[in-house]
Amino acid sequence: MTLKMSVADLKAFMTAEFPQVAQDFTVDAASPMHLTLRLTVTDRHLRPGGTVSGPAIFALADVGVYLAVLSMIGPQALAVTTNCSLDFMRKPRAGADLIAKVRLLKLGRVLAVGDALIYSDGSDAPVARASMTYSIPPARQD
Amino acid sequence: MTLKMSVADLKAFMTAEFPQVAQDFTVDAASPMHLTLRLTVTDRHLRPGGTVSGPAIFALADVGVYLAVLSMIGPQALAVTTNCSLDFMRKPRAGADLIAKVRLLKLGRVLAVGDALIYSDGSDAPVARASMTYSIPPARQD
Amino acid sequence: MTLKMSVADLKAFMTAEFPQVAQDFTVDAASPMHLTLRLTVTDRHLRPGGTVSGPAIFALADVGVYLAVLSMIGPQALAVTTNCSLDFMRKPRAGADLIAKVRLLKLGRVLAVGDALIYSDGSDAPVARASMTYSIPPARQD
Amino acid sequence: MTLKMSVADLKAFMTAEFPQVAQDFTVDAASPMHLTLRLTVTDRHLRPGGTVSGPAIFALADVGVYLAVLSMIGPQALAVTTNCSLDFMRKPRAGADLIAKVRLLKLGRVLAVGDALIYSDGSDAPVARASMTYSIPPARQD
Protein backbone atom coordinates (compact mmCIF):
# COMPACT_ATOMS: atom_id res chain seq x y z
CA MET A 1 0.00 0.00 0.00
CA THR A 2 1.54 3.31 -1.05
CA LEU A 3 0.44 6.93 -1.10
CA LYS A 4 -0.93 8.25 -4.37
CA MET A 5 -0.62 11.82 -3.08
CA SER A 6 2.23 13.20 -0.99
CA VAL A 7 1.92 15.92 1.63
CA ALA A 8 2.91 18.43 -1.06
CA ASP A 9 0.31 17.03 -3.48
CA LEU A 10 -2.40 17.31 -0.84
CA LYS A 11 -1.44 20.90 -0.11
CA ALA A 12 -1.56 21.80 -3.80
CA PHE A 13 -4.94 20.06 -4.14
CA MET A 14 -6.40 21.99 -1.20
CA THR A 15 -5.13 25.32 -2.52
CA ALA A 16 -6.60 24.64 -5.96
CA GLU A 17 -9.94 23.11 -4.98
CA PHE A 18 -10.79 24.66 -1.61
CA PRO A 19 -9.10 28.08 -1.65
CA GLN A 20 -11.49 29.48 1.00
CA VAL A 21 -10.22 27.14 3.70
CA ALA A 22 -6.86 25.85 2.45
CA GLN A 23 -4.86 28.27 4.58
CA ASP A 24 -6.53 26.99 7.78
CA PHE A 25 -5.12 23.48 7.45
CA THR A 26 -1.66 21.89 7.32
CA VAL A 27 -0.94 18.23 6.71
CA ASP A 28 1.65 17.49 9.37
CA ALA A 29 2.19 13.87 8.28
CA ALA A 30 0.80 11.28 5.88
CA SER A 31 1.50 7.56 5.59
CA PRO A 32 -0.59 4.73 4.13
CA MET A 33 -4.04 4.80 5.82
CA HIS A 34 -2.91 7.51 8.32
CA LEU A 35 -2.78 11.29 8.24
CA THR A 36 -2.26 14.10 10.73
CA LEU A 37 -3.97 17.42 10.02
CA ARG A 38 -3.49 20.69 11.89
CA LEU A 39 -6.03 23.47 12.21
CA THR A 40 -4.25 26.77 12.73
CA VAL A 41 -6.68 28.33 15.15
CA THR A 42 -7.44 32.01 14.56
CA ASP A 43 -10.10 34.36 15.86
CA ARG A 44 -12.71 33.29 13.35
CA HIS A 45 -12.62 29.70 14.70
CA LEU A 46 -13.38 30.83 18.23
CA ARG A 47 -16.51 31.13 20.31
CA PRO A 48 -16.91 33.48 23.27
CA GLY A 49 -14.56 32.38 26.05
CA GLY A 50 -11.87 31.44 23.56
CA THR A 51 -13.01 27.89 22.79
CA VAL A 52 -12.84 26.51 19.24
CA SER A 53 -16.29 26.33 17.62
CA GLY A 54 -18.07 23.09 16.82
CA PRO A 55 -18.17 23.81 13.08
CA ALA A 56 -14.39 24.32 13.08
CA ILE A 57 -13.92 20.93 14.79
CA PHE A 58 -16.30 19.32 12.30
CA ALA A 59 -14.36 20.90 9.43
CA LEU A 60 -11.04 19.61 10.80
CA ALA A 61 -12.35 16.05 11.02
CA ASP A 62 -14.03 16.22 7.62
CA VAL A 63 -11.02 17.65 5.81
CA GLY A 64 -8.68 15.27 7.65
CA VAL A 65 -10.45 12.05 6.71
CA TYR A 66 -11.14 13.37 3.20
CA LEU A 67 -7.45 14.09 2.61
CA ALA A 68 -6.54 10.67 4.02
CA VAL A 69 -8.89 9.08 1.47
CA LEU A 70 -7.44 11.16 -1.36
CA SER A 71 -3.89 10.30 -0.29
CA MET A 72 -4.77 6.67 -1.03
CA ILE A 73 -6.99 6.96 -4.13
CA GLY A 74 -5.70 10.12 -5.78
CA PRO A 75 -7.39 13.48 -6.37
CA GLN A 76 -11.12 12.97 -6.73
CA ALA A 77 -12.77 16.21 -5.77
CA LEU A 78 -16.16 14.56 -6.14
CA ALA A 79 -16.00 12.21 -3.16
CA VAL A 80 -18.78 13.39 -0.85
CA THR A 81 -19.35 13.03 2.89
CA THR A 82 -22.42 10.89 3.52
CA ASN A 83 -22.27 10.34 7.28
CA CYS A 84 -20.56 11.83 10.29
CA SER A 85 -20.62 11.00 13.97
CA LEU A 86 -18.93 13.27 16.51
CA ASP A 87 -18.35 13.06 20.24
CA PHE A 88 -17.28 16.29 21.88
CA MET A 89 -15.45 15.30 25.04
CA ARG A 90 -13.35 18.15 26.38
CA LYS A 91 -12.99 21.87 25.98
CA PRO A 92 -10.17 22.73 23.56
CA ARG A 93 -7.27 24.56 25.15
CA ALA A 94 -7.30 28.30 24.50
CA GLY A 95 -4.54 29.48 22.19
CA ALA A 96 -3.56 26.03 20.93
CA ASP A 97 -3.90 24.61 17.43
CA LEU A 98 -6.08 21.53 17.00
CA ILE A 99 -4.55 18.31 15.65
CA ALA A 100 -6.59 15.53 14.02
CA LYS A 101 -5.02 12.08 14.01
CA VAL A 102 -6.82 10.21 11.25
CA ARG A 103 -6.89 6.53 10.39
CA LEU A 104 -8.68 4.97 7.45
CA LEU A 105 -10.67 1.86 8.32
CA LYS A 106 -12.12 0.94 4.94
CA LEU A 107 -11.37 1.93 1.37
CA GLY A 108 -14.08 0.23 -0.64
CA ARG A 109 -15.14 0.60 -4.23
CA VAL A 110 -18.16 2.69 -3.20
CA LEU A 111 -17.61 3.78 0.42
CA ALA A 112 -14.61 4.89 2.46
CA VAL A 113 -14.68 5.06 6.26
CA GLY A 114 -12.22 6.67 8.63
CA ASP A 115 -12.07 8.08 12.10
CA ALA A 116 -10.10 10.74 13.93
CA LEU A 117 -9.15 11.78 17.39
CA ILE A 118 -8.75 15.51 17.80
CA TYR A 119 -6.36 17.03 20.33
CA SER A 120 -5.33 20.47 21.44
CA ASP A 121 -1.70 20.70 20.36
CA GLY A 122 0.49 19.51 23.23
CA SER A 123 -2.27 17.63 25.08
CA ASP A 124 -2.85 13.86 25.39
CA ALA A 125 -6.55 13.98 26.24
CA PRO A 126 -8.73 14.07 23.11
CA VAL A 127 -11.06 17.04 22.59
CA ALA A 128 -13.28 15.13 20.18
CA ARG A 129 -13.75 11.86 18.31
CA ALA A 130 -15.13 11.76 14.79
CA SER A 131 -16.02 9.09 12.26
CA MET A 132 -16.78 9.94 8.66
CA THR A 133 -18.07 8.05 5.63
CA TYR A 134 -17.51 9.15 2.03
CA SER A 135 -19.22 8.01 -1.10
CA ILE A 136 -16.72 7.55 -3.90
CA PRO A 137 -18.04 8.29 -7.40
CA PRO A 138 -17.65 5.47 -9.92
CA ALA A 139 -14.40 5.70 -11.84
CA ARG A 140 -14.78 7.12 -15.30
CA GLN A 141 -14.57 4.50 -18.00
CA ASP A 142 -11.87 5.89 -20.24
CA MET B 1 -45.56 22.79 28.25
CA THR B 2 -44.83 26.40 27.38
CA LEU B 3 -41.92 28.30 25.87
CA LYS B 4 -39.57 30.00 28.32
CA MET B 5 -38.05 32.02 25.47
CA SER B 6 -39.95 33.55 22.56
CA VAL B 7 -38.60 34.02 19.05
CA ALA B 8 -37.61 37.56 20.06
CA ASP B 9 -35.89 36.30 23.24
CA LEU B 10 -33.91 33.75 21.22
CA LYS B 11 -32.83 36.42 18.75
CA ALA B 12 -31.66 38.71 21.56
CA PHE B 13 -29.80 35.81 23.18
CA MET B 14 -27.98 34.94 19.95
CA THR B 15 -26.99 38.56 19.35
CA ALA B 16 -25.63 38.91 22.88
CA GLU B 17 -23.90 35.55 23.26
CA PHE B 18 -22.85 34.56 19.73
CA PRO B 19 -22.34 37.87 17.89
CA GLN B 20 -20.03 36.27 15.29
CA VAL B 21 -22.78 34.08 13.86
CA ALA B 22 -26.05 35.64 15.03
CA GLN B 23 -26.67 37.40 11.72
CA ASP B 24 -26.50 34.09 9.81
CA PHE B 25 -29.54 32.61 11.54
CA THR B 26 -33.23 33.49 11.84
CA VAL B 27 -35.76 31.64 14.00
CA ASP B 28 -38.70 31.30 11.62
CA ALA B 29 -40.96 29.61 14.19
CA ALA B 30 -40.89 28.20 17.72
CA SER B 31 -43.45 26.16 19.59
CA PRO B 32 -43.09 23.74 22.53
CA MET B 33 -40.49 21.10 21.56
CA HIS B 34 -40.30 22.40 17.95
CA LEU B 35 -38.30 25.13 16.21
CA THR B 36 -37.57 26.16 12.64
CA LEU B 37 -34.23 27.86 11.97
CA ARG B 38 -33.11 29.48 8.73
CA LEU B 39 -29.52 29.85 7.54
CA THR B 40 -29.25 32.85 5.26
CA VAL B 41 -26.77 31.47 2.79
CA THR B 42 -24.02 33.85 1.70
CA ASP B 43 -20.74 33.38 -0.12
CA ARG B 44 -18.83 32.38 2.97
CA HIS B 45 -21.08 29.32 3.46
CA LEU B 46 -20.38 28.04 -0.03
CA ARG B 47 -17.96 25.55 -1.51
CA PRO B 48 -16.80 25.55 -5.13
CA GLY B 49 -19.76 24.78 -7.39
CA GLY B 50 -22.11 26.79 -5.18
CA THR B 51 -23.01 24.07 -2.66
CA VAL B 52 -23.35 24.89 1.03
CA SER B 53 -20.38 23.62 3.06
CA GLY B 54 -20.57 20.77 5.56
CA PRO B 55 -19.53 22.98 8.48
CA ALA B 56 -22.34 25.42 7.66
CA ILE B 57 -24.85 22.54 7.70
CA PHE B 58 -23.41 21.29 10.99
CA ALA B 59 -23.69 24.80 12.43
CA LEU B 60 -27.32 25.10 11.35
CA ALA B 61 -28.26 21.81 13.04
CA ASP B 62 -26.27 22.61 16.16
CA VAL B 63 -27.67 26.11 16.61
CA GLY B 64 -31.18 24.88 15.76
CA VAL B 65 -31.37 22.14 18.37
CA TYR B 66 -29.53 24.32 20.90
CA LEU B 67 -32.07 27.13 20.51
CA ALA B 68 -34.92 24.61 20.75
CA VAL B 69 -33.48 23.43 24.07
CA LEU B 70 -33.09 27.00 25.33
CA SER B 71 -36.64 27.85 24.26
CA MET B 72 -37.80 25.22 26.75
CA ILE B 73 -35.35 25.65 29.65
CA GLY B 74 -34.41 29.32 29.40
CA PRO B 75 -31.09 30.99 28.60
CA GLN B 76 -28.25 28.73 29.71
CA ALA B 77 -25.26 29.60 27.60
CA LEU B 78 -23.33 26.77 29.22
CA ALA B 79 -25.22 23.84 27.70
CA VAL B 80 -22.63 22.03 25.57
CA THR B 81 -22.93 19.71 22.59
CA THR B 82 -21.69 16.24 23.53
CA ASN B 83 -22.69 14.18 20.50
CA CYS B 84 -23.74 14.72 16.93
CA SER B 85 -24.72 12.39 14.12
CA LEU B 86 -25.24 13.67 10.60
CA ASP B 87 -26.42 12.10 7.36
CA PHE B 88 -25.75 14.14 4.24
CA MET B 89 -28.29 12.98 1.69
CA ARG B 90 -28.65 15.47 -1.14
CA LYS B 91 -26.81 18.42 -2.60
CA PRO B 92 -28.30 21.70 -1.35
CA ARG B 93 -29.91 23.82 -4.04
CA ALA B 94 -27.73 26.70 -5.24
CA GLY B 95 -28.99 30.11 -4.22
CA ALA B 96 -31.49 28.87 -1.63
CA ASP B 97 -31.44 29.36 2.12
CA LEU B 98 -31.29 26.23 4.29
CA ILE B 99 -34.11 25.49 6.74
CA ALA B 100 -33.72 23.22 9.78
CA LYS B 101 -36.92 21.71 11.18
CA VAL B 102 -36.05 20.73 14.73
CA ARG B 103 -37.90 18.57 17.22
CA LEU B 104 -36.82 17.89 20.79
CA LEU B 105 -37.05 14.25 21.80
CA LYS B 106 -35.84 14.41 25.40
CA LEU B 107 -35.37 17.19 27.92
CA GLY B 108 -33.77 15.48 30.87
CA ARG B 109 -32.16 16.83 33.99
CA VAL B 110 -28.69 16.13 32.57
CA LEU B 111 -29.08 15.47 28.83
CA ALA B 112 -31.25 16.92 26.08
CA VAL B 113 -31.68 15.21 22.70
CA GLY B 114 -33.17 16.55 19.50
CA ASP B 115 -33.03 15.96 15.80
CA ALA B 116 -33.47 18.03 12.66
CA LEU B 117 -34.23 17.63 9.01
CA ILE B 118 -32.54 20.23 6.84
CA TYR B 119 -34.06 21.42 3.56
CA SER B 120 -33.19 23.82 0.81
CA ASP B 121 -35.87 26.49 1.08
CA GLY B 122 -38.76 25.52 -1.18
CA SER B 123 -37.81 21.83 -1.48
CA ASP B 124 -39.47 18.79 0.13
CA ALA B 125 -36.49 16.41 -0.10
CA PRO B 126 -34.16 16.74 2.91
CA VAL B 127 -30.55 17.76 2.32
CA ALA B 128 -29.41 16.35 5.66
CA ARG B 129 -30.53 14.72 8.89
CA ALA B 130 -28.92 15.55 12.21
CA SER B 131 -29.28 14.41 15.79
CA MET B 132 -27.63 16.29 18.63
CA THR B 133 -27.15 15.69 22.36
CA TYR B 134 -26.46 18.45 24.87
CA SER B 135 -25.19 18.21 28.40
CA ILE B 136 -27.08 20.60 30.66
CA PRO B 137 -25.08 22.04 33.54
CA PRO B 138 -26.56 21.55 37.01
CA ALA B 139 -28.76 24.43 38.03
CA ARG B 140 -27.07 26.85 40.37
CA GLN B 141 -28.25 26.58 43.94
CA ASP B 142 -29.16 30.14 44.73
CA MET C 1 -44.81 6.47 -5.29
CA THR C 2 -46.32 3.07 -4.55
CA LEU C 3 -45.36 0.09 -2.42
CA LYS C 4 -43.60 -2.76 -4.21
CA MET C 5 -44.23 -5.04 -1.22
CA SER C 6 -47.41 -5.14 0.86
CA VAL C 7 -47.57 -5.95 4.57
CA ALA C 8 -48.28 -9.56 3.60
CA ASP C 9 -45.33 -9.62 1.18
CA LEU C 10 -43.00 -8.28 3.89
CA LYS C 11 -44.21 -10.93 6.33
CA ALA C 12 -43.63 -13.71 3.81
CA PHE C 13 -40.17 -12.31 3.03
CA MET C 14 -39.19 -12.23 6.72
CA THR C 15 -40.41 -15.78 7.28
CA ALA C 16 -38.47 -17.06 4.27
CA GLU C 17 -35.23 -15.10 4.69
CA PHE C 18 -34.92 -14.51 8.45
CA PRO C 19 -36.72 -17.45 10.07
CA GLN C 20 -34.78 -17.04 13.35
CA VAL C 21 -36.29 -13.64 14.10
CA ALA C 22 -39.40 -13.41 11.89
CA GLN C 23 -41.77 -14.33 14.73
CA ASP C 24 -40.48 -11.42 16.87
CA PHE C 25 -41.69 -8.75 14.48
CA THR C 26 -45.03 -7.63 13.04
CA VAL C 27 -45.50 -4.94 10.41
CA ASP C 28 -48.40 -2.95 11.85
CA ALA C 29 -48.63 -0.58 8.88
CA ALA C 30 -46.84 0.32 5.67
CA SER C 31 -47.31 3.22 3.29
CA PRO C 32 -44.96 4.87 0.80
CA MET C 33 -41.77 5.88 2.70
CA HIS C 34 -43.33 4.97 6.10
CA LEU C 35 -43.60 1.75 8.09
CA THR C 36 -44.57 0.78 11.63
CA LEU C 37 -42.93 -2.31 13.09
CA ARG C 38 -43.79 -4.01 16.38
CA LEU C 39 -41.43 -6.07 18.52
CA THR C 40 -43.40 -8.60 20.52
CA VAL C 41 -41.38 -8.47 23.71
CA THR C 42 -40.69 -11.82 25.35
CA ASP C 43 -38.34 -12.94 28.09
CA ARG C 44 -35.38 -13.33 25.79
CA HIS C 45 -35.50 -9.61 24.90
CA LEU C 46 -35.28 -8.57 28.53
CA ARG C 47 -32.46 -7.56 30.85
CA PRO C 48 -32.58 -7.85 34.65
CA GLY C 49 -35.22 -5.49 35.98
CA GLY C 50 -37.52 -6.20 33.06
CA THR C 51 -36.15 -3.63 30.61
CA VAL C 52 -35.77 -4.45 26.91
CA SER C 53 -32.14 -5.04 25.96
CA GLY C 54 -30.10 -2.70 23.76
CA PRO C 55 -29.54 -5.36 21.08
CA ALA C 56 -33.31 -5.95 20.85
CA ILE C 57 -33.86 -2.20 20.32
CA PHE C 58 -31.09 -2.13 17.71
CA ALA C 59 -32.69 -5.11 15.95
CA LEU C 60 -36.10 -3.42 15.92
CA ALA C 61 -34.69 -0.28 14.31
CA ASP C 62 -32.57 -2.24 11.83
CA VAL C 63 -35.37 -4.55 10.72
CA GLY C 64 -37.84 -1.66 10.60
CA VAL C 65 -35.82 0.59 8.30
CA TYR C 66 -34.72 -2.42 6.23
CA LEU C 67 -38.33 -3.49 5.63
CA ALA C 68 -39.28 0.10 4.79
CA VAL C 69 -36.55 0.11 2.13
CA LEU C 70 -37.70 -3.25 0.75
CA SER C 71 -41.32 -2.10 0.67
CA MET C 72 -40.20 0.56 -1.81
CA ILE C 73 -37.59 -1.29 -3.91
CA GLY C 74 -38.78 -4.90 -3.70
CA PRO C 75 -37.16 -7.95 -2.10
CA GLN C 76 -33.38 -7.56 -2.17
CA ALA C 77 -32.01 -9.68 0.63
CA LEU C 78 -28.54 -8.38 -0.11
CA ALA C 79 -29.00 -4.79 1.02
CA VAL C 80 -26.61 -4.36 3.96
CA THR C 81 -26.54 -1.97 6.90
CA THR C 82 -23.50 0.30 6.65
CA ASN C 83 -24.13 2.82 9.42
CA CYS C 84 -26.29 3.18 12.48
CA SER C 85 -26.70 5.90 15.06
CA LEU C 86 -28.80 5.35 18.17
CA ASP C 87 -29.89 7.57 21.05
CA PHE C 88 -31.28 5.74 24.06
CA MET C 89 -33.50 8.23 25.85
CA ARG C 90 -35.88 6.51 28.23
CA LYS C 91 -36.32 3.16 29.90
CA PRO C 92 -38.84 1.00 28.02
CA ARG C 93 -42.00 0.23 29.95
CA ALA C 94 -42.04 -3.26 31.48
CA GLY C 95 -44.53 -5.62 29.86
CA ALA C 96 -45.17 -3.49 26.78
CA ASP C 97 -44.28 -4.22 23.16
CA LEU C 98 -41.95 -1.81 21.40
CA ILE C 99 -43.13 0.08 18.32
CA ALA C 100 -40.79 1.57 15.70
CA LYS C 101 -42.19 4.38 13.58
CA VAL C 102 -39.96 4.49 10.53
CA ARG C 103 -39.63 7.08 7.79
CA LEU C 104 -37.38 6.82 4.75
CA LEU C 105 -35.42 9.97 4.02
CA LYS C 106 -33.47 8.91 0.94
CA LEU C 107 -33.78 6.10 -1.56
CA GLY C 108 -30.77 6.52 -3.79
CA ARG C 109 -29.23 4.27 -6.39
CA VAL C 110 -26.47 3.23 -3.98
CA LEU C 111 -27.55 4.29 -0.47
CA ALA C 112 -30.84 4.37 1.40
CA VAL C 113 -31.28 6.34 4.64
CA GLY C 114 -34.10 6.19 7.15
CA ASP C 115 -34.77 6.94 10.76
CA ALA C 116 -37.09 5.65 13.46
CA LEU C 117 -38.55 6.69 16.76
CA ILE C 118 -39.15 3.77 19.09
CA TYR C 119 -41.93 3.81 21.69
CA SER C 120 -43.25 1.51 24.37
CA ASP C 121 -46.69 0.56 23.12
CA GLY C 122 -49.19 3.05 24.51
CA SER C 123 -46.63 5.75 25.37
CA ASP C 124 -45.97 9.08 23.63
CA ALA C 125 -42.41 9.60 24.89
CA PRO C 126 -39.83 7.91 22.67
CA VAL C 127 -37.58 5.25 24.19
CA ALA C 128 -34.97 5.60 21.45
CA ARG C 129 -34.11 7.30 18.18
CA ALA C 130 -32.27 5.50 15.41
CA SER C 131 -30.94 6.35 11.98
CA MET C 132 -29.74 3.68 9.60
CA THR C 133 -27.98 3.65 6.23
CA TYR C 134 -28.09 0.71 3.81
CA SER C 135 -25.92 -0.01 0.83
CA ILE C 136 -28.00 -1.26 -2.06
CA PRO C 137 -26.29 -3.75 -4.36
CA PRO C 138 -26.23 -2.84 -8.06
CA ALA C 139 -29.25 -4.20 -9.90
CA ARG C 140 -28.53 -7.33 -11.86
CA GLN C 141 -28.39 -6.76 -15.59
CA ASP C 142 -30.81 -9.38 -16.84
CA MET D 1 -4.42 5.04 36.69
CA THR D 2 -5.17 1.52 37.85
CA LEU D 3 -7.91 -1.02 37.29
CA LYS D 4 -10.65 -1.19 39.93
CA MET D 5 -11.86 -4.51 38.50
CA SER D 6 -9.63 -7.30 37.21
CA VAL D 7 -10.51 -9.70 34.39
CA ALA D 8 -11.77 -12.14 37.06
CA ASP D 9 -13.86 -9.41 38.73
CA LEU D 10 -15.44 -8.48 35.41
CA LYS D 11 -16.30 -12.10 34.70
CA ALA D 12 -17.91 -12.51 38.11
CA PHE D 13 -19.86 -9.27 37.59
CA MET D 14 -21.19 -10.42 34.21
CA THR D 15 -22.24 -13.80 35.58
CA ALA D 16 -24.06 -12.20 38.50
CA GLU D 17 -25.71 -9.26 36.71
CA PHE D 18 -26.22 -10.44 33.12
CA PRO D 19 -26.62 -14.23 33.37
CA GLN D 20 -28.49 -14.45 30.04
CA VAL D 21 -25.48 -13.28 28.02
CA ALA D 22 -22.46 -13.80 30.30
CA GLN D 23 -21.47 -17.07 28.64
CA ASP D 24 -21.25 -15.37 25.21
CA PHE D 25 -18.42 -13.06 26.22
CA THR D 26 -14.84 -13.46 27.46
CA VAL D 27 -12.56 -10.63 28.55
CA ASP D 28 -9.30 -11.53 26.80
CA ALA D 29 -7.35 -8.62 28.29
CA ALA D 30 -7.83 -5.50 30.40
CA SER D 31 -5.47 -2.65 31.17
CA PRO D 32 -6.11 0.96 32.18
CA MET D 33 -8.45 2.52 29.58
CA HIS D 34 -8.21 -0.57 27.29
CA LEU D 35 -10.06 -3.87 27.11
CA THR D 36 -10.35 -6.75 24.65
CA LEU D 37 -13.64 -8.66 24.59
CA ARG D 38 -14.37 -11.86 22.66
CA LEU D 39 -17.77 -12.98 21.42
CA THR D 40 -17.87 -16.76 21.16
CA VAL D 41 -19.94 -17.06 18.03
CA THR D 42 -22.59 -19.76 18.07
CA ASP D 43 -25.57 -20.53 15.85
CA ARG D 44 -27.86 -18.08 17.59
CA HIS D 45 -25.57 -15.16 16.62
CA LEU D 46 -25.73 -16.03 12.94
CA ARG D 47 -27.84 -14.89 10.01
CA PRO D 48 -28.51 -16.94 6.87
CA GLY D 49 -25.23 -17.40 5.01
CA GLY D 50 -23.29 -17.76 8.24
CA THR D 51 -22.62 -14.09 8.94
CA VAL D 52 -22.81 -12.69 12.48
CA SER D 53 -25.96 -10.65 13.04
CA GLY D 54 -25.99 -6.90 13.53
CA PRO D 55 -27.52 -7.15 17.03
CA ALA D 56 -24.71 -9.52 18.08
CA ILE D 57 -22.12 -6.99 16.87
CA PHE D 58 -23.95 -4.19 18.67
CA ALA D 59 -24.01 -6.30 21.85
CA LEU D 60 -20.27 -7.00 21.61
CA ALA D 61 -19.46 -3.29 21.31
CA ASP D 62 -21.88 -2.30 24.06
CA VAL D 63 -20.69 -4.92 26.55
CA GLY D 64 -17.05 -4.23 25.65
CA VAL D 65 -17.11 -0.49 26.29
CA TYR D 66 -19.36 -0.98 29.34
CA LEU D 67 -16.90 -3.42 30.91
CA ALA D 68 -14.01 -1.08 30.10
CA VAL D 69 -15.84 1.69 31.98
CA LEU D 70 -16.53 -0.60 34.94
CA SER D 71 -12.91 -1.77 35.02
CA MET D 72 -11.98 1.85 35.76
CA ILE D 73 -14.83 3.00 38.05
CA GLY D 74 -15.87 -0.24 39.75
CA PRO D 75 -19.12 -2.20 39.56
CA GLN D 76 -22.00 0.16 38.82
CA ALA D 77 -24.72 -1.85 37.18
CA LEU D 78 -26.74 1.33 36.71
CA ALA D 79 -24.54 2.99 34.09
CA VAL D 80 -26.74 3.21 30.97
CA THR D 81 -25.94 3.52 27.29
CA THR D 82 -27.14 6.88 25.97
CA ASN D 83 -25.66 6.95 22.47
CA CYS D 84 -24.15 4.57 19.98
CA SER D 85 -22.71 5.01 16.52
CA LEU D 86 -21.78 2.00 14.40
CA ASP D 87 -20.10 1.57 11.02
CA PHE D 88 -20.43 -1.87 9.49
CA MET D 89 -17.53 -2.21 7.09
CA ARG D 90 -16.89 -5.85 6.19
CA LYS D 91 -18.63 -9.18 6.40
CA PRO D 92 -17.47 -11.17 9.44
CA ARG D 93 -15.59 -14.35 8.60
CA ALA D 94 -17.72 -17.49 8.92
CA GLY D 95 -16.74 -19.72 11.82
CA ALA D 96 -14.56 -17.15 13.59
CA ASP D 97 -15.13 -15.46 16.94
CA LEU D 98 -15.44 -11.69 16.98
CA ILE D 99 -12.95 -9.60 18.96
CA ALA D 100 -13.65 -6.04 20.16
CA LYS D 101 -10.62 -3.88 20.89
CA VAL D 102 -11.92 -1.13 23.16
CA ARG D 103 -10.33 2.14 24.25
CA LEU D 104 -11.84 4.62 26.67
CA LEU D 105 -11.61 8.22 25.53
CA LYS D 106 -13.31 10.01 28.40
CA LEU D 107 -14.23 9.07 31.94
CA GLY D 108 -16.13 12.06 33.22
CA ARG D 109 -18.22 12.58 36.29
CA VAL D 110 -21.44 12.26 34.29
CA LEU D 111 -20.52 10.75 30.90
CA ALA D 112 -18.06 8.10 29.74
CA VAL D 113 -17.10 7.69 26.07
CA GLY D 114 -15.25 4.86 24.38
CA ASP D 115 -14.85 3.30 21.00
CA ALA D 116 -14.07 -0.14 19.61
CA LEU D 117 -12.82 -1.79 16.49
CA ILE D 118 -14.31 -5.23 15.93
CA TYR D 119 -12.41 -7.95 14.09
CA SER D 120 -13.00 -11.52 13.03
CA ASP D 121 -10.50 -13.49 15.10
CA GLY D 122 -7.30 -13.80 13.09
CA SER D 123 -8.05 -10.94 10.69
CA ASP D 124 -6.49 -7.46 10.53
CA ALA D 125 -9.31 -5.73 8.64
CA PRO D 126 -12.02 -4.43 10.97
CA VAL D 127 -15.57 -5.75 10.56
CA ALA D 128 -17.09 -2.78 12.38
CA ARG D 129 -16.35 0.43 14.28
CA ALA D 130 -18.42 1.48 17.26
CA SER D 131 -18.51 4.43 19.62
CA MET D 132 -20.60 4.37 22.77
CA THR D 133 -21.55 6.92 25.44
CA TYR D 134 -22.69 5.97 28.94
CA SER D 135 -24.42 8.08 31.53
CA ILE D 136 -22.96 7.42 34.96
CA PRO D 137 -25.38 7.75 37.87
CA PRO D 138 -24.33 10.16 40.61
CA ALA D 139 -22.29 8.44 43.32
CA ARG D 140 -24.26 7.70 46.44
CA GLN D 141 -23.35 9.98 49.31
CA ASP D 142 -22.52 7.50 52.08
Side-chain angles (χ1 to χ4, degrees), chain C residues 105-121:
Chain C
L105 300 171
K106 173 179 171 143
L107 261 181
R109 200 178 41 81
V110 171
L111 294 178
V113 181
D115 66 3
L117 289 180
I118 294 175
Y119 300 87
S120 289
D121 196 8

Side-chain angles (χ1 to χ4, degrees), chain B residues 5 10 21 25-26 30 44 58 74-75 81 86 106 108 111 114 129 133-134 141:
Chain B
M5 297 180 78
L10 294 168
V21 297
F25 298 109
T26 308
R44 65 200 178 80
F58 169 88
T81 312
L86 277 162
K106 172 177 172 144
L111 294 178
R129 187 210 62 76
T133 301
Y134 297 83
Q141 315 283 343

Side-chain angles (χ1 to χ4, degrees), chain D residues 46-88:
Chain D
L46 299 182
R47 283 279 184 271
T51 193
V52 181
S53 76
I57 293 173
F58 170 87
L60 174 59
D62 191 22
V63 173
V65 183
Y66 182 70
L67 291 181
V69 172
L70 296 198
S71 77
M72 298 301 294
I73 68 173
Q76 304 210 12
L78 292 174
V80 295
T81 312
T82 56
N83 176 264
C84 162
S85 155
L86 276 161
D87 293 295
F88 297 97

Side-chain angles (χ1 to χ4, degrees), chain C residues 24-36:
Chain C
D24 290 1
F25 298 108
T26 307
V27 179
D28 278 359
S31 60
M33 306 294 272
H34 292 271
L35 187 141
T36 304

